[in-house]
Amino acid sequence: MANKPNQHQVKAKKHLGQHFLKDESVAQKIADTLSLKDYKKVLEIGPGMGVLTKYLLKKDVETYVIEIDTESVEYLQTNYLNLAPRIIEEDFLKYDLNTVFKDKPFAIIGNFPYNISTQIVFITLEMRNQIPEFSGMFQKEVAQRICSKEGSKVYGILSVLTQAFYNAEYLFTVPPSVFNPPPKVDSGVLRLTRKENYTLPCDEKLLFKVVKTAFQQRRKTLRNSLKTLNLSDNLKANVIFGKRPEQLSVETFIELTKLIENDA
Ligand code: SAH
């Protein structure tokens, strides 16, 4: 095949968190984590030179990509002609996705920068009505945290809030050597599958507040850490308040939020 013009590789830019996957088998393995159930569109965040995109394009799903880097966008436009109409050159953190998706469901996938990965999860949680599935590469510790259960040292805000709405599975670990340039740490790929009942039986805003407030002082009992919520003595006598946040399952946090909601 004749070489197309402009086919030079994108030079990795540190400020954009660019670590390009160079191992095709890992890219394929990430693409294959999608179940393709309950949606017809997928959004890849940070496609770079399209190593993962290539495998998405082979699947029975309409692939969109959002990429902030002009040089990467030009590379994709030159090398993936069919993708061109579905390349969004924007900052994922600022872009209104419904300009494109118009309230329809879509999955999210990506090997995206570590420094925006937790923000990506929070945006996914906000848009959970439209996002039945999410697969992504994270710094290994962050992936483990998102998927961890109560009792674990790394169980925290991100674990509880994600698992309130999604089943979280840690799928596999990826070593630095498969990236160019290699990051300093191991990576981990996880999948979030939205729960059937993702509308909670409690005030969702209040749940976020309770979870965040409790974990801000994770060594303290809830009786102490939730003082700022001005709860009644009666409620604080409940045995839940003698526990520390890492001892509470997601279900118990929801239960607790209901109790606080009804506290007179
Ligand atoms: N997925 C590719 C590239 C990984 S590097 C691969 O596996 O090889 C991370 C990519 O995310 C880069 O292309 C970078 O430009 C892009 N990126 C960084 N911040 C972004 C943002 N806020 N919105 C969209 N893309 C972003």
Side-chain angles (χ1 to χ4, degrees), residues 8-49:
H8 63 278
Q9 302 286 296
V10 174
K11 191 171 173 292
K13 300 166 198 72
K14 209 173 175 185
H15 74 282
L16 292 177
Q18 291 180 334
H19 295 277
F20 298 113
L21 249 182
K22 58 181 188 188
D23 185 327
E24 295 281 332
S25 68
V26 176
Q28 176 156 26
K29 215 169 147 189
I30 298 173
D32 286 345
T33 60
L34 292 178
S35 72
L36 305 181
K37 272 188 231 151
D38 305 328
Y39 54 85
K40 298 199 165 49
K41 297 170 197 279
V42 61
L43 175 67
E44 184 191 351
I45 303 172
M49 286 179 279

Side-chain angles (χ1 to χ4, degrees), residues 10 12-13 15-22 27 30 44-53 65-70 72-73 76 88-95 109-116 120 137 178-180:
V10 174
K13 300 166 198 72
H15 74 282
L16 292 177
Q18 291 180 334
H19 295 277
F20 298 113
L21 249 182
K22 58 181 188 188
I30 298 173
E44 184 191 351
I45 303 172
M49 286 179 279
V51 62
L52 174 56
T53 323
V65 299
I66 184 160
E67 172 59 65
I68 200 171
D69 176 33
T70 308
S72 295
V73 167
L76 293 168
I88 307 162
E89 185 178 351
E90 293 281 349
D91 178 346
F92 172 78
L93 300 179
K94 297 191 184 140
Y95 184 68
I109 195 165
N111 165 34
F112 32 66
Y114 296 139
N115 60 343
I116 63 167
I120 291 175
M137 175 109 71
V178 303
F179 298 93
N180 178 30

Side-chain angles (χ1 to χ4, degrees), residues 33-138:
T33 60
L34 292 178
S35 72
L36 305 181
K37 272 188 231 151
D38 305 328
Y39 54 85
K40 298 199 165 49
K41 297 170 197 279
V42 61
L43 175 67
E44 184 191 351
I45 303 172
M49 286 179 279
V51 62
L52 174 56
T53 323
K54 181 163 63 214
Y55 294 100
L56 296 173
L57 289 171
K58 289 184 187 163
K59 294 186 183 288
D60 188 19
V61 69
E62 193 173 30
T63 301
Y64 291 76
V65 299
I66 184 160
E67 172 59 65
I68 200 171
D69 176 33
T70 308
E71 196 186 352
S72 295
V73 167
E74 281 169 3
Y75 182 97
L76 293 168
Q77 280 167 342
T78 309
N79 293 293
Y80 297 89
L81 295 177
N82 296 339
L83 181 68
R86 292 181 308 281
I87 300 174
I88 307 162
E89 185 178 351
E90 293 281 349
D91 178 346
F92 172 78
L93 300 179
K94 297 191 184 140
Y95 184 68
D96 177 4
L97 293 174
N98 277 324
T99 315
V100 168
F101 293 109
K102 313 212 183 302
D103 300 324
K104 294 268 178 358
F106 59 95
I108 287 186
I109 195 165
N111 165 34
F112 32 66
Y114 296 139
N115 60 343
I116 63 167
S117 64
T118 57
Q119 289 174 82
I120 291 175
V121 173
F122 278 114
I123 289 172
T124 301
L125 298 183
E126 271 170 36
M127 295 192 73
R128 59 190 174 271
N129 291 344
Q130 268 170 277
I131 306 178
E133 194 168 62
F134 174 109
S135 296
M137 175 109 71
F138 292 78

